[in-house]
Amino acid sequence: MPFRYLVMTLLCCSCSGYAEVLWQDFRLTYLNGSHYRLGDPQRQVLTIEHAAATAWGDSFFFLDHMKSANGQHSNYAELQPRFSLGKNGWQQAPGGLIKDVLLASHIEMSSQRTNLLYGVGLDLAMPGLKFTQLNFYRRNNEQIADNWQATLVWGAPFQFGGQSFLYDGFVDWASGSVDQHANLNWTSQLKWLASNLWQGKSQVWLGVEYVWWRHKFGVLDKPLLRSHENNVNLLLKWHF
């Protein structure tokens, strides 16, 4: 059985079986930026997110609804379930740096294409970080040649001046192929917990998101087609 089918079979069996939710978080984010590449440079993005840890592993889902200044609308979504070998008795946690080993999957969905990624994930114990994940994928691309991807995800809470802040984000590196150039996307958010001012039960964060993307979507950056993106977005995030 090809590895990608084994990953998807295990994940489907886990979701249909005993799936106690250990914690979950719903988030709504508004972004506004004016330096996007490959398309209208000015856009507003409304993002719906759901993250959860369960008895079988964890999952993350988001849907971006984008509105450009020229009036165009588009949607893009990703679903990222991971099956924990440690939680399910297949692999004892190695300890030290590696907290858990997981079978990782990732589905990218848009009106143009659907891509399936499959591979191996690691939960890492890093000092000062709330969470750190490192995933290695084989990309099954629907319309272009397959390639490889590595993804690092982190969250670093900190205090400054008696206020709570969070610096989190991800780094995606995708290899090149006959159809695309290797590309690197570093997207991070620096946020201040504004809801502490009114002691709100729901967290409200204010901050900025910065995107540093080389050869966006695997498109080679050229003088007549700029795909290197340096984009700062104003950010408002509500956890509910």
Side-chain angles (χ1 to χ4, degrees), residues 18-22 53-57 84 87-88:
Y18 177 63
E20 176 189 359
V21 177
L22 305 178
T54 68
W56 56 267
S84 166
K87 288 181 179 179
N88 292 277

mmCIF file of all heavy atoms in Angstrom, residues 18-22 53-57 84 87-88:
data_model
loop_
_atom_site.group_PDB
_atom_site.id
_atom_site.type_symbol
_atom_site.label_atom_id
_atom_site.label_comp_id
_atom_site.label_asym_id
_atom_site.label_seq_id
_atom_site.Cartn_x
_atom_site.Cartn_y
_atom_site.Cartn_z
ATOM 1 N N TYR A 18 -13.053 6.401 18.325
ATOM 2 C CA TYR A 18 -13.090 7.176 19.562
ATOM 3 C C TYR A 18 -12.221 8.406 19.392
ATOM 4 O O TYR A 18 -11.018 8.313 19.202
ATOM 5 C CB TYR A 18 -12.589 6.309 20.701
ATOM 6 C CG TYR A 18 -12.516 7.023 22.024
ATOM 7 C CD1 TYR A 18 -13.670 7.517 22.634
ATOM 8 C CD2 TYR A 18 -11.302 7.203 22.664
ATOM 9 C CE1 TYR A 18 -13.608 8.165 23.852
ATOM 10 C CE2 TYR A 18 -11.220 7.845 23.885
ATOM 11 C CZ TYR A 18 -12.383 8.324 24.472
ATOM 12 O OH TYR A 18 -12.316 8.962 25.673
ATOM 13 N N ALA A 19 -12.825 9.580 19.429
ATOM 14 C CA ALA A 19 -12.094 10.812 19.158
ATOM 15 C C ALA A 19 -12.391 11.834 20.240
ATOM 16 O O ALA A 19 -12.990 12.876 19.981
ATOM 17 C CB ALA A 19 -12.445 11.351 17.778
ATOM 18 N N GLU A 20 -11.990 11.532 21.469
ATOM 19 C CA GLU A 20 -12.178 12.486 22.556
ATOM 20 C C GLU A 20 -11.408 13.770 22.257
ATOM 21 O O GLU A 20 -10.221 13.737 21.899
ATOM 22 C CB GLU A 20 -11.678 11.883 23.867
ATOM 23 C CG GLU A 20 -11.756 12.843 25.043
ATOM 24 C CD GLU A 20 -11.063 12.308 26.276
ATOM 25 O OE1 GLU A 20 -10.541 11.182 26.223
ATOM 26 O OE2 GLU A 20 -11.032 13.026 27.298
ATOM 27 N N VAL A 21 -12.067 14.894 22.370
ATOM 28 C CA VAL A 21 -11.426 16.183 22.144
ATOM 29 C C VAL A 21 -10.779 16.648 23.439
ATOM 30 O O VAL A 21 -11.454 16.863 24.441
ATOM 31 C CB VAL A 21 -12.441 17.229 21.641
ATOM 32 C CG1 VAL A 21 -11.768 18.577 21.481
ATOM 33 C CG2 VAL A 21 -13.072 16.779 20.323
ATOM 34 N N LEU A 22 -9.463 16.789 23.442
ATOM 35 C CA LEU A 22 -8.726 17.219 24.621
ATOM 36 C C LEU A 22 -8.792 18.744 24.776
ATOM 37 O O LEU A 22 -8.905 19.248 25.878
ATOM 38 C CB LEU A 22 -7.277 16.750 24.523
ATOM 39 C CG LEU A 22 -7.094 15.232 24.300
ATOM 40 C CD1 LEU A 22 -5.622 14.888 24.176
ATOM 41 C CD2 LEU A 22 -7.752 14.435 25.415
ATOM 42 N N ALA A 53 -6.759 19.241 19.610
ATOM 43 C CA ALA A 53 -6.000 18.046 19.981
ATOM 44 C C ALA A 53 -7.013 17.009 20.439
ATOM 45 O O ALA A 53 -7.928 17.314 21.208
ATOM 46 C CB ALA A 53 -5.010 18.355 21.095
ATOM 47 N N THR A 54 -6.860 15.782 19.963
ATOM 48 C CA THR A 54 -7.797 14.707 20.275
ATOM 49 C C THR A 54 -7.052 13.497 20.807
ATOM 50 O O THR A 54 -5.817 13.485 20.881
ATOM 51 C CB THR A 54 -8.590 14.295 19.020
ATOM 52 O OG1 THR A 54 -7.685 13.669 18.087
ATOM 53 C CG2 THR A 54 -9.242 15.504 18.355
ATOM 54 N N ALA A 55 -7.817 12.482 21.149
ATOM 55 C CA ALA A 55 -7.213 11.248 21.643
ATOM 56 C C ALA A 55 -6.402 10.539 20.565
ATOM 57 O O ALA A 55 -5.525 9.734 20.872
ATOM 58 C CB ALA A 55 -8.302 10.317 22.174
ATOM 59 N N TRP A 56 -6.686 10.826 19.287
ATOM 60 C CA TRP A 56 -5.957 10.152 18.202
ATOM 61 C C TRP A 56 -4.832 10.995 17.605
ATOM 62 O O TRP A 56 -3.969 10.484 16.908
ATOM 63 C CB TRP A 56 -6.922 9.741 17.089
ATOM 64 C CG TRP A 56 -7.742 10.861 16.509
ATOM 65 C CD1 TRP A 56 -8.991 11.254 16.885
ATOM 66 C CD2 TRP A 56 -7.363 11.743 15.447
ATOM 67 N NE1 TRP A 56 -9.421 12.319 16.134
ATOM 68 C CE2 TRP A 56 -8.446 12.641 15.240
ATOM 69 C CE3 TRP A 56 -6.229 11.864 14.648
ATOM 70 C CZ2 TRP A 56 -8.422 13.634 14.267
ATOM 71 C CZ3 TRP A 56 -6.204 12.864 13.685
ATOM 72 C CH2 TRP A 56 -7.295 13.731 13.500
ATOM 73 N N GLY A 57 -4.825 12.314 17.864
ATOM 74 C CA GLY A 57 -3.789 13.157 17.285
ATOM 75 C C GLY A 57 -4.153 14.619 17.383
ATOM 76 O O GLY A 57 -4.544 15.104 18.440
ATOM 77 N N SER A 84 -1.174 10.620 15.832
ATOM 78 C CA SER A 84 -0.078 10.491 16.794
ATOM 79 C C SER A 84 0.263 9.035 17.044
ATOM 80 O O SER A 84 -0.589 8.249 17.466
ATOM 81 C CB SER A 84 -0.473 11.167 18.111
ATOM 82 O OG SER A 84 0.411 10.803 19.144
ATOM 83 N N LYS A 87 0.274 8.708 21.124
ATOM 84 C CA LYS A 87 -1.029 8.623 21.780
ATOM 85 C C LYS A 87 -1.717 7.281 21.546
ATOM 86 O O LYS A 87 -2.532 6.841 22.353
ATOM 87 C CB LYS A 87 -1.952 9.740 21.286
ATOM 88 C CG LYS A 87 -1.591 11.133 21.787
ATOM 89 C CD LYS A 87 -2.583 12.153 21.257
ATOM 90 C CE LYS A 87 -2.273 13.546 21.751
ATOM 91 N NZ LYS A 87 -3.220 14.547 21.211
ATOM 92 N N ASN A 88 -1.402 6.653 20.425
ATOM 93 C CA ASN A 88 -2.092 5.424 20.056
ATOM 94 C C ASN A 88 -1.263 4.164 20.302
ATOM 95 O O ASN A 88 -1.598 3.084 19.814
ATOM 96 C CB ASN A 88 -2.511 5.499 18.582
ATOM 97 C CG ASN A 88 -3.588 6.535 18.359
ATOM 98 O OD1 ASN A 88 -4.767 6.289 18.565
ATOM 99 N ND2 ASN A 88 -3.183 7.738 17.931
#
